[in-house]
Amino acid sequence: PTRGVERWLTQTLSATLGTSPGRADGVCANVEFPFPGAMVSEATTAAVGIRPADDPWAPRRAVWPLLEVVDANLGEPWLAMLAAHIAGRGEDPEQARRARRFSAVRHLADLLDRYSVHRPAMVRSWSEGEETDGDGAALPEDLAWQARLWRQLRDRLGVASPAERMGRACELLRASPELADLPERLSLFGLTRLPSTYLDVLAALGVHRDVHLWLLHPSAALWDALAAGPAPGRLPRRREDSTADRAANPLLASWGRDAREMQLVLSAGGAVAGESIGDRNHPDTLLGRIQADIRANQDPPATAFPTSREARPVLAETDRSLQVHSCHGQARQVEVLRDAILHLLAGDPTLEPRDVIVMCPDIDAFAPLIHATFGPGREVAGGRSLHVRLADRSIRQTNPVFAALSQLLALAAGRVSASEILDFAASAPVRRRFRLDDDDLARVGHWVRQAGVRWGLDATGRGRYQLQRVEAGTWRSGLDRILLGVAMAEDDLRLFGGVLPLDDVDSSDVELAGVLAELVERVGTTVASFATPSTLSEWVARILAATDTLMDVAGADEWQRRQLGSALEEVLSEGSAAPDALLALTEVRALLTDRLRGQPTRANFRTGHLTMCTLVPMRSVPHRVVCLLGLDDGEFPRRTAVDGDDILERDPHVGDREARSEDRQLLLDALMAATDHLIVTYTG
C-alpha cells in the first residue's frame, strides 16, 4: 500500500533469505512491489487493451474534455446548479467564473473516477440512460445532473468508461488467464481498504491463481466474532452496519471500524478466510496490557477500577511504556519528544535510532522545528549519533524551484505585497540568480520599510481594487525613493519630481539597489504576462521563461529544474485533448497544486536513522518505539466537511473511505505497532 511498508517488507525478507544458518545475511533485490491499484489496472489493461497512461477517463486527462462539455452546457437548465457555483458572487462575472471553473471541473473529474471504482453498478446504470444510485433507488434530485453530465462526457470521449469495461475484463480474465502477465501466486500485503472493483478483479484472477491477502488486523478474536455472524452484503453504512456491537474492547469499537468493514467487504465478495498468524506475547507493561486486551477483544479487567486500591494491577515503578505529553505549542512538543527519545536511548544500550519511528499528521509544519530542535548528528550515550531523516514531504519542501514557483504564482494572483516579494527574494533559487546573501536581504528589507512600500507594483496594478489613482505605497514609488537616494547626496535632500529620496542608501549600495530594481522589474514583467488567459502550451512556455529569468540552481542541483520541466511536460501531455482551451492564472494554480504533493521514495524510509514521516506510509510497521507527534485538537482526527456533490458521501456503503474513521484506524494501528514504547504529544 505504501513505500514505507514496501521498504520494511524488503528488509524483513532479506533477513530470512540468506545462506548462513541464521539466514540473516540475505539480499532482497530485483523484486517488483506494485501498488494494488497499479496491479489491478495492468490486469484489466491486458484484458481490454487500454493502458492506464493512455486512458482518456483518467481524471488528469478527463478534466480537459469535461471542461469543454461544461462550457458547452453551462447555459442549460439541467446544469444550473453547477453554473451558479462557478459564477460565484464576484464583481466581474468573467473573473469569478475563471476563479472557480477549473477547480470545480477537476473535482468533478475526480468524483466520476471515484464512482467508477466504488460504485460501478451506478455508473453502468447511467450508461443505460437511468439516473439511479446502483441499488435501484433514484438519485437525489439535486445530484441527478451528474448522471447527465457523465453521459455527455461519455459521448465526447467515445470510449467505454472503466466501470463499463470492468465486467468484460473480468470475464476475459476468467476465461483466458494467460492475458494477465502475472505469476501463479499473488500476495497483496497490508491492505486496509478494498474497493468493489478491485475485489472483482482479484476474484477473476483467483479462478486460475492463488491470490492471498495478508491483512493487518488488530484482533483475531474480533475477526472470529464477525465471522460467526450472518454473511453480509454490500450494505449501506448508516442503516445496517452493527459491527461495533461485537467489539467488546472500547478501543476496537471506536477506532477499528475500517478493519471491521474490510472483513465485511471481503466476506461479501466470497473471499475465504485463512489463518491468523503473528500474535506475540505482550510484556507485562501498561502498553502490553492494553494491546493484549485489544487482541483478545475484551474490556480491561473488572479490577481495573475497583473500590479497593489493593486489587488494582500494579505497574512497575520504571514502567514508561506509554507516555502522553501535553505541551505548550508545537515547538515544545518537539523538544519534549527529543528528550523522551534521548532518555530511552540512554537507558537502553540495545535500542538504536532505527528502532524509533516518529509519525506526524502534518510533517511539513513540524519539519523546521524538527531540524532546529534535533540538529545534525546529536550525540547519544555510548558515543552514538542521532541522525533524523524526514520522509514523504511535499515537493515544495524538497525542491526549492517548485517552492519558488508556488510563491511566484501566489504573488501574481494576489496584491504583490512587500512581504511577498521579500519572501520570494529570500528563496534559494532567486537568491542565487540575483546573488543575494543574508546581509543583502536584511538591507533590502530595511529599505522597503523605510520607503513605505506596502503592496501593488504601481497604481495601474491597483486598478482591480479601484485604487488606480493611488501611487503611494506601491513598489514603483518605493523604488523611485531608493534609486533617488543612490543618485543624490544626503546633505542636500530635496524633492525631485515630487519624490523624496531615501536618505539611508550609501554609495556602496549602488549595486544592491540596482539588483532590487531589476528583481522587481522582472517580477512585474512576469505578473503582466500571467494576467492574460492562454492555452496550456502557452502557459508552460511562460512558466519556464519566468523560471529561467528569476531563478537559478547550482550544477549539482540541476535536477530541480529538470524535475519542473518533466512535471510541466506531463501536464502538457495530459491536456493534449483540449489544446485550445483558455486558462486563467487561478486555473493554472489549481492545475499545478496537485503536482506539488509529497512523493515518497523507497530511500526515505528505514535507512538506519530516526525516521519521521506522516501517519500513512509506515502504518502498522512494527518498531520498538512509536512516537505520535502533533495529535492536536482540530488536526487529528481530521475535521472534514461533507462534500455536497459526492453521491457516495450522501449515502455511504460499508467499506467506503471516511477521513475521521481512517485517522482513528491509523491511531489503532500505531498503538498495536509499538512493541516497547508509545509516546504521544499534543498541544494542551
Side-chain angles (χ1 to χ4, degrees), residues 161-172:
S161 69
E164 297 172 275
R165 302 194 300 256
M166 192 59 65
R168 176 61 177 164
C170 291
E171 291 177 4
L172 291 173

Side-chain angles (χ1 to χ4, degrees), residues 158-370:
V159 177
S161 69
E164 297 172 275
R165 302 194 300 256
M166 192 59 65
R168 176 61 177 164
C170 291
E171 291 177 4
L172 291 173
L173 291 173
R174 291 189 185 95
S176 305
E178 69 280 358
L179 288 175
D181 184 18
L182 293 170
E184 295 302 312
R185 177 186 174 96
L186 302 177
S187 289
L188 282 82
F189 191 89
L191 295 183
T192 57
R193 184 174 290 100
L194 198 62
S196 59
T197 51
Y198 289 13
L199 188 58
D200 293 340
V201 173
L202 293 177
L205 293 172
V207 173
H208 300 281
R209 293 177 173 84
D210 288 337
V211 179
H212 296 264
L213 305 181
W214 303 85
L215 305 179
L216 297 158
H217 199 280
S219 172
L222 177 60
W223 182 283
D224 294 338
L226 290 175
R234 291 176 183 170
L235 309 174
R237 175 181 288 158
R238 293 175 181 172
R239 297 189 296 272
E240 301 179 56
D241 177 25
S242 59
T243 58
D245 297 338
R246 303 181 202 175
N249 185 278
L251 294 182
L252 275 177
S254 60
W255 291 358
R257 187 175 75 178
D258 279 12
R260 299 194 306 269
E261 292 192 352
M262 179 70 168
Q263 182 179 355
L264 296 180
V265 170
L266 292 174
S267 299
V272 178
E275 60 178 324
S276 172
I277 58 176
D279 279 356
R280 56 184 170 83
N281 295 323
H282 297 279
D284 189 23
T285 61
L286 176 58
L287 178 63
R289 292 176 182 179
I290 293 175
Q291 292 173 337
D293 288 339
I294 290 174
R295 291 194 185 280
N297 187 26
Q298 65 184 15
D299 243 340
T303 56
F305 300 102
T307 55
S308 172
R309 289 182 60 89
E310 290 74 15
R312 288 186 188 173
V314 179
L315 297 176
E317 291 188 8
T318 58
D319 187 352
R320 295 294 182 271
S321 59
L322 177 59
Q323 303 177 34
V324 181
H325 298 275
S326 175
C327 308
H328 296 284
Q330 294 182 341
R332 183 58 182 158
Q333 286 190 58
V334 180
E335 293 172 354
V336 168
L337 178 66
R338 176 201 61 195
D339 292 345
I341 292 174
L342 292 178
H343 275 299
L344 294 178
L345 290 171
D348 186 352
T350 66
L351 186 65
E352 297 284 345
R354 72 181 66 201
D355 300 321
V356 181
I357 182 72
V358 178
M359 295 185 285
C360 175
D362 189 357
I363 191 67
D364 286 334
F366 278 87
L369 300 173
I370 291 170

Side-chain angles (χ1 to χ4, degrees), residues 16 115 122 128 200-201 274 288 325 351 356 395 425 429 461 491 513 531 562 578 584 614 625 670 684:
T16 61
Y115 298 160
M122 178 177 71
E128 297 169 358
D200 293 340
V201 173
H325 298 275
L351 186 65
V356 181
I395 292 181
D491 57 355
R562 289 197 299 269
T614 56
V625 180

Side-chain angles (χ1 to χ4, degrees), residues 383-675:
R384 297 174 294 171
S385 296
L386 182 61
H387 293 276
V388 174
R389 160 120 18 206
L390 272 68
D392 71 312
R393 299 181 67 192
S394 68
I395 292 181
R396 282 175 292 183
Q397 303 296 329
T398 59
N399 187 333
V401 173
F402 273 81
L405 176 60
S406 298
Q407 288 179 291
L408 181 60
L409 293 173
L411 183 153
R415 302 194 307 165
V416 195
S417 66
S419 60
E420 286 176 325
I421 286 192
L422 291 177
D423 289 344
F424 178 66
S427 62
V430 180
R431 291 177 61 156
R432 181 176 177 81
R433 165 62 70 188
F434 293 93
R435 300 177 183 177
L436 298 169
D437 58 25
D438 290 341
D439 292 337
D440 293 336
L441 292 171
R443 187 76 172 144
V444 166
H446 175 71
W447 288 346
V448 168
R449 289 190 295 273
Q450 291 295 106
V453 179
R454 296 295 181 264
W455 64 278
L457 288 167
D458 52 28
T460 303
R462 290 177 165 181
R464 55 178 167 168
Y465 303 100
Q466 288 76 48
L467 293 173
Q468 59 271 19
R469 296 184 180 180
V470 182
E471 186 79 34
T474 63
W475 278 99
R476 172 65 60 81
S477 66
L479 284 176
D480 285 346
R481 291 195 62 192
I482 294 172
L483 295 178
L484 274 177
V486 172
M488 298 180 66
E490 294 184 7
D491 57 355
D492 191 23
L493 291 178
R494 62 184 183 277
L495 290 177
F496 183 87
V499 177
L500 178 67
L502 190 66
D503 63 352
D504 197 18
V505 185
D506 300 329
S507 58
S508 59
D509 295 326
V510 173
E511 182 178 357
L512 181 58
V515 167
L516 175 61
E518 179 68 17
L519 170 61
V520 176
E521 179 69 22
R522 294 188 186 186
V523 169
T525 301
T526 300
V527 170
S529 69
F530 285 179
T532 306
S534 303
T535 63
L536 186 58
S537 59
E538 292 172 337
W539 271 111
V540 169
R542 289 178 186 175
I543 290 173
L544 291 176
T547 302
D548 294 335
T549 300
L550 292 164
M551 306 174 206
D552 190 20
V553 293
D557 297 327
E558 184 60 31
W559 63 270
Q560 299 172 5
R561 174 62 173 76
R562 289 197 299 269
Q563 189 177 36
L564 174 62
S566 299
L568 293 176
E569 286 179 7
E570 187 178 351
V571 170
L572 196 58
S573 173
E574 293 167 353
S576 60
D580 298 326
L582 297 180
L583 301 177
L585 175 59
T586 53
E587 296 173 304
V588 172
R589 289 186 65 197
L591 172 63
L592 295 179
T593 297
D594 188 48
R595 307 286 171 169
L596 305 180
R597 293 177 181 171
Q599 294 181 345
T601 63
R602 299 171 183 85
N604 290 124
F605 300 98
R606 296 181 64 86
T607 59
H609 300 157
L610 190 157
T611 302
M612 297 190 176
C613 60
T614 56
L615 290 163
V616 174
M618 297 294 283
R619 64 181 302 171
S620 296
V621 174
H623 285 78
R624 291 184 62 185
V625 180
V626 173
C627 307
L628 300 177
L629 173 67
L631 298 192
D632 300 340
D633 183 33
E635 297 294 330
F636 189 90
R638 286 168 286 180
R639 294 181 178 179
T640 55
V642 175
D643 183 358
D645 294 323
D646 192 342
I647 298 174
L648 275 59
E649 287 193 7
R650 188 69 62 92
D651 189 14
H653 285 194
V654 170
D656 285 351
R657 184 175 184 179
E658 199 266 321
R660 290 180 66 82
S661 175
E662 181 176 313
D663 283 350
R664 291 188 178 98
Q665 184 68 50
L666 285 168
L667 197 58
L668 182 61
D669 292 344
L671 170 65
M672 302 304 292
T675 58

